[in-house]
Amino acid sequence: MSNNWSKWFTGEDSPIPWLTRRQRLIIAYAVVLVSVILFYSVLYNYGMRTLEGHDHSLFRSFQTVVETMTTTGYGADAPWSSPLMNTFVVFMQLTGVAIGFATLRVLVIPLFERAPLDLSDRLTAKDDHVIVCEYRRDTGVLLDELERLNVDYVLIESDTDEAKQLSDDGYQAIHGDPETVETLERAMIDEAGTLVTDAGDRNASVVLTARRLNETLRTVAFTDSPTHEGALKQVGADTVASPDALIGHRLGQKTNAWSELPKSLDDAAVGDVRIGEVLVRRNSPLAGVQIEDTIVADHSDLTLVGAWIDGDLRLPPDPTERVTANSVLIVVGPEETIADVRELAAGVRPPRRHSNVVIAGMGAGGRAARDALDRDVDATTIDREDGPRVDVTGDLRDPETLETAGIEDASALVVTVENDSTALLVVAIARTLTEDLEILVRVDDTAKSPAAFDAGADYVLSTQRVSARLLARELRGEDVLTPVSQLRVIRTPGDPFRGESLAEVRDGTRDGYVFVGVERDGAFLADTTIRIESDDRLVVAGTDVTIREFERQFA
């Protein structure tokens, strides 16, 4: 019986698992208190009838018991002639004092302190949840993302004030050291499905401790140094990600003008059709417009495959959603048509293929950006400290350093410095030196993104936002090794969709993949009114995960 009660109290077998441990404690306390008062009322009523000879109603006995236990009075029935009744009344008085102290500790003191001594009392019942250890980026951005996706979690925060504040704000957070067994047990590691650690040099210790407590636990480690990947996997981390390196790689990719159709679409593109990314800058006529009202949505020669909006991939995009500055529209169509749309979306500075790129900051992000450049792109790297891959050494806040790196002759500048204030200053200095330059920048704080645009940046990625989305994709079973899901394009026989129009099959598309067009007799057709024939080949685009699901269903 006691074991069953313990499971109910911790939430394992509770019929109300959505309540926190503290709320379950208050309910249990109220049930016990009411039960004691009713039990005393019945005993008192029986004693007054048999020992004192008074024919009392049960309600009057209830009133006397309450008066006695609360010490507001000792009952209108006093004095009692029977020694046994006097003893019982004294016992009720002592019980009332004890219950008063318990009420003070359980209800009153925590109410005024706003946070209980043990924050784990506020945790709801967990099953297959995520434990996040020492998240060093913007915790609120991550937790909001997890709650938006209905991912159950417990955050372990070593800073007492921060943990209390997060708990007061309604987040599932506790205070403790993630390297200790006691803290991980309070986070219910036995029931957890995934552990995420962002504890710097303590990552290895956290993973090792967690593995001893739950051998089936899936572990994800965030690190600032990609060189630690091998060591962390050696101690048991299933996935290791470096957000700075991933963002740097993405910024380097953004300097490339075209993405060829992948080899999964046989050996070559269909005719002159390509996949292209259309970057919407802050001064673009497409910014602020609903997707269904853009020139891309209704273009006869283009198919809108997806869109990156606010750092998240919409595949396919919601037609009613508005295109924000910094959005990327993913389209399929003739190269010339995509180029025209890119020029429209670019605003003041027309896009072009970059042949000369300057990279400011050669940390993990800068090195990843350098590696992501095409082979025929000339790159000049700058850092404040000399190193193997640093071309210019100097203070990035000094315009002469940028001039020495050839900023005036460059077509793009990638900024991956560690400090947001320095990054904004570098952007502003570069913009004063030349207007004919595309600037791509990484900031840590999501709130700094608008300021980076104001300073003159064309494309901005936030470490906090990308890290949160990165982790969310990993928890949903997607590949965590890329900052954005790379599109995969395949051909599939048209026979399963014979007789339907391209518009009809698109309307029935599940989120995650898009019917791009139809290949017929060597020509690519994107007209939504055409009817699919048995000999046609449908061109389908999606992520690796969604394309595999499509192939299992239709291929």
Side-chain angles (χ1 to χ4, degrees):
M1 179 68 180
S2 60
N3 186 47
N4 292 336
W5 171 258
S6 174
K7 287 185 176 181
W8 184 95
F9 182 72
T10 57
E12 294 181 32
D13 295 333
S14 173
I16 44 177
W18 58 88
L19 296 180
T20 66
R21 188 180 303 177
R22 173 168 171 74
Q23 289 169 336
R24 292 193 294 272
L25 172 63
I26 293 174
I27 291 175
Y29 179 81
V31 170
V32 171
L33 179 60
V34 171
S35 300
V36 169
I37 293 175
L38 293 177
F39 178 67
Y40 282 178
S41 298
V42 173
L43 286 181
Y44 182 81
N45 186 268
Y46 177 79
M48 290 299 293
R49 286 174 181 271
T50 59
L51 300 178
E52 298 293 327
H54 295 291
D55 188 12
H56 275 187
S57 67
L58 187 60
F59 180 77
R60 178 172 176 178
S61 298
F62 170 76
Q63 179 184 359
T64 303
V65 169
V66 172
E67 290 174 347
T68 303
M69 293 183 65
T70 58
T71 67
T72 57
Y74 295 96
D77 299 331
W80 295 271
S81 58
S82 169
L84 186 58
M85 281 300 296
N86 279 285
T87 302
F88 178 62
V89 170
V90 169
F91 182 75
M92 284 197 299
Q93 293 167 357
L94 295 176
T95 302
V97 172
I99 290 176
F101 279 115
T103 302
L104 188 67
R105 178 65 185 87
V106 174
L107 299 179
V108 179
I109 293 178
L111 180 65
F112 284 97
E113 287 183 346
R114 288 190 54 110
L117 297 178
D118 185 1
L119 294 177
S120 57
D121 287 345
R122 292 184 172 185
L123 299 180
T124 57
K126 306 293 180 187
D127 183 28
D128 197 30
H129 60 288
V130 178
I131 298 177
V132 183
C133 302
E134 294 286 43
Y135 194 70
R136 294 176 299 153
R137 299 156 218 281
D138 191 306
T139 307
V141 173
L142 171 65
L143 300 186
D144 287 341
E145 183 70 16
L146 295 182
E147 293 189 349
R148 184 180 70 86
L149 297 172
N150 293 320
V151 174
D152 216 2
Y153 68 89
V154 175
L155 172 73
I156 299 176
E157 173 58 57
S158 61
D159 184 86
T160 305
D161 294 337
E162 179 68 13
K164 287 184 177 180
Q165 183 61 55
L166 289 169
S167 183
D168 287 341
D169 291 341
Y171 296 113
Q172 298 282 283
I174 63 173
H175 168 255
D177 183 354
E179 295 182 78
T180 64
V181 172
E182 184 270 337
T183 300
L184 292 175
E185 287 180 341
R186 283 196 295 118
M188 294 168 278
I189 193 170
D190 289 340
E191 287 78 34
T194 304
L195 178 135
V196 178
T197 175
D198 188 23
D201 292 340
R202 296 190 294 159
N203 276 341
S205 176
V206 172
V207 171
L208 289 169
T209 305
R211 283 291 192 189
R212 288 202 308 270
L213 298 174
N214 187 341
E215 294 181 354
T216 63
L217 195 69
R218 185 164 58 111
T219 55
V220 180
F222 277 15
T223 177
D224 294 332
S225 177
T227 58
H228 291 169
E229 178 178 351
L232 290 172
K233 287 190 173 182
Q234 176 67 30
V235 300
D238 297 303
T239 303
V240 180
S242 173
D244 288 347
L246 295 173
I247 291 177
H249 183 78
R250 179 59 177 163
L251 293 177
Q253 286 180 326
K254 288 303 301 175
T255 64
N256 301 329
W258 296 101
S259 298
E260 299 288 345
L261 284 177
K263 292 182 180 179
S264 56
L265 191 61
D266 292 340
D267 295 329
V270 180
D272 193 27
V273 176
R274 294 173 180 264
I275 294 179
E277 291 185 342
V278 178
L279 173 61
V280 180
R281 293 189 174 93
R282 66 185 188 282
N283 50 13
S284 168
L286 299 183
V289 179
Q290 287 187 340
I291 289 179
E292 61 184 358
D293 296 329
T294 63
I295 188 175
V296 177
D298 295 326
H299 203 291
S300 59
D301 295 330
L302 291 179
T303 300
L304 180 61
V305 176
W308 286 97
I309 300 177
D310 192 24
D312 198 15
L313 177 63
R314 274 53 163 193
L315 189 68
D318 182 355
T320 62
E321 189 162 15
R322 293 191 178 276
V323 179
T324 61
N326 213 41
S327 297
V328 177
L329 306 180
I330 305 171
V331 296
V332 176
E335 181 174 343
E336 295 78 9
T337 306
I338 296 178
D340 293 340
V341 174
R342 273 184 171 155
E343 187 167 354
L344 172 67
V348 176
R349 288 180 296 278
R352 61 187 185 278
R353 190 180 187 92
H354 297 295
S355 58
N356 189 343
V357 177
V358 174
I359 300 176
M362 282 301 289
R367 293 192 296 271
R370 179 67 182 86
D371 292 338
L373 297 179
D374 283 347
R375 294 181 179 179
D376 57 348
V377 174
D378 292 330
T380 304
T381 60
I382 313 173
D383 201 87
R384 60 185 177 183
E385 297 180 1
D386 193 14
R389 306 181 68 181
V390 177
D391 298 320
V392 177
T393 304
D395 188 351
L396 289 167
R397 298 168 296 180
D398 186 351
E400 291 186 2
T401 303
L402 296 177
E403 291 175 342
T404 302
I407 192 71
E408 295 180 352
D409 297 325
S411 58
L413 169 67
V414 178
V415 181
T416 60
V417 297
E418 296 179 358
N419 184 277
D420 284 353
S421 299
T422 303
L424 297 180
L425 182 58
V426 171
V427 171
I429 292 174
R431 188 56 74 203
T432 61
L433 295 176
T434 173
E435 277 291 325
D436 190 23
L437 180 74
E438 185 171 22
I439 302 179
L440 307 94
V441 61
R442 181 202 76 200
V443 294
D444 289 328
D445 188 353
T446 303
K448 295 294 184 182
S449 295
F453 284 118
D454 293 340
D458 297 294
Y459 187 71
V460 182
L461 285 179
S462 161
T463 305
Q464 294 174 355
R465 177 66 65 188
V466 170
S467 298
R469 294 284 164 81
L470 188 70
L471 179 56
R473 290 191 198 97
E474 166 65 13
L475 299 177
R476 286 182 293 185
E478 298 181 13
D479 190 359
V480 75
L481 298 180
T482 57
V484 295
S485 299
Q486 299 301 311
L487 285 179
R488 182 181 168 201
V489 182
I490 64 169
R491 268 195 197 122
T492 185
D495 189 61
F497 309 95
R498 182 178 66 254
E500 297 183 68
S501 69
L502 188 57
E504 288 172 344
V505 296
R506 284 180 180 173
D507 290 340
T509 298
R510 295 178 55 186
D511 287 347
Y513 57 83
V514 177
F515 290 94
V516 177
V518 175
E519 181 192 358
R520 178 180 298 169
D521 298 328
F524 179 79
L525 308 175
D527 186 353
T528 58
T529 63
I530 64 171
R531 295 284 170 178
I532 300 171
E533 300 176 359
S534 298
D535 296 334
D536 290 342
R537 303 277 282 177
L538 282 175
V539 179
V540 185
T543 65
D544 283 337
V545 174
T546 58
I547 287 297
R548 284 197 299 268
E549 180 182 347
F550 174 84
E551 289 176 328
R552 283 195 298 267
Q553 185 175 0
F554 295 107

